[in-house]
Each structure stands twice: as C-alpha cells, then as structure tokens.
Amino acid sequence: MRALTGTALGRAALLLVAADILHALDHTRQARDLASEVYVAGVSGWIALALLLVLVARGDRLAAPYAAAVGVSVAVGFLAVHVAPHWSSFSDPYSGFDADALSWALVVVPVLAAINLVATAARARARMRRSPPGPGRAAGASEARA
C-alpha cells in the first residue's frame, strides 16, 4: 500500500477508486435495475482501475500515460452514461428518474477525481521527461513515484 500512498499518482488513483466505490454503493442504495450494458461498462472501468493500481504500485513507466487514459475514459464515461440524455443501451441518465442530491454528488465526485488523475498523470509524465533515469533505475520508474 505504501507504493500507492507514497506518490501523487498513487493517491490520485486511490481517490478515483474510492469515488467509484461510493458511486457503486449508491447504485445499490438506489435499488434500480440497470441494463447489462451499463454493468459491463462499470466492470470494464473496475478492470482498468485494478490494472492502474498494479502499474502505479510497481512504478511502471506506463503508469502515468495509462492513468491519463483511464482518467479521461472514466470522466467521459460517467458523463455519457449518467449525465447525457438517453442515447443508447449504455445510458442510465440520472435525469430519467428522481435522483437525489447524494446520487448526483456521487456522479460528480468520480468525474472530478478522474480529472484530478489526468492532471496528476500529466505532471508525473512531465517530471519523468525532465529527469533522465539514474544508474540502476529503469526509465520511467520515478514517474509513478512522483
């Protein structure tokens, strides 16, 4: 866990995971039936987040670019699924039912956490480009620790 909490990128990734957990718990609280496509999108997001945590914990050189891609896809995904009007079977627009303030907050918070992850990943990537690896360090290893 220290490998994750000891870096800005790790903390940003964990923040997004926590926000997504709260969002998932809110789906349970709502007790609504969701289309299987919405579940598939959610599970795909969980798989992407799990891989992100592994990359960050290992200090992998791909952690920052992957984090940026995950952050963008999560932010766009939440907006497309829950904020945009019904557009496909992947839609679960909160405007289509009587969502309370907590439910809306638990859509906004993951989007903000995803944007934070993108910004943190961009800073980590920029730091890695400015500082070449030292002796015995793999290229990019410091990136995920930044």
Side-chain angles (χ1 to χ4, degrees):
M1 187 65 141
R2 171 75 179 131
L4 291 172
T5 60
T7 67
L9 190 58
R11 289 186 298 273
L14 288 171
L15 179 65
L16 179 53
V17 169
D20 207 8
I21 288 170
L22 292 172
H23 176 75
L25 289 172
D26 188 56
H27 273 294
T28 302
R29 181 184 72 90
Q30 293 171 7
R32 296 176 45 247
D33 288 327
L34 299 175
S36 58
E37 292 86 352
V38 174
Y39 278 115
V40 168
V43 169
S44 297
W46 282 106
I47 292 168
L49 287 172
L51 179 56
L52 173 61
L53 293 178
V54 170
L55 291 174
V56 172
R58 292 181 60 204
D60 194 287
R61 65 182 179 82
L62 296 176
Y66 183 77
V70 168
V72 168
S73 65
V74 168
V76 170
F78 266 82
L79 294 172
V81 171
H82 292 311
V83 178
H86 189 353
W87 58 277
S88 80
S89 58
F90 287 97
S91 294
D92 179 37
Y94 276 30
S95 61
F97 72 98
D98 192 25
D100 61 13
L102 178 60
S103 291
W104 277 108
L106 292 175
V107 167
V108 172
V109 168
V111 171
L112 294 176
I115 292 168
N116 177 61
L117 179 63
V118 172
T120 304
R123 286 190 300 273
R125 186 81 173 135
R127 274 192 302 275
M128 190 209 63
R129 287 183 177 161
R130 284 193 306 266
S131 59
R137 288 193 328 213
S142 64
E143 162 188 338
R145 290 183 181 85

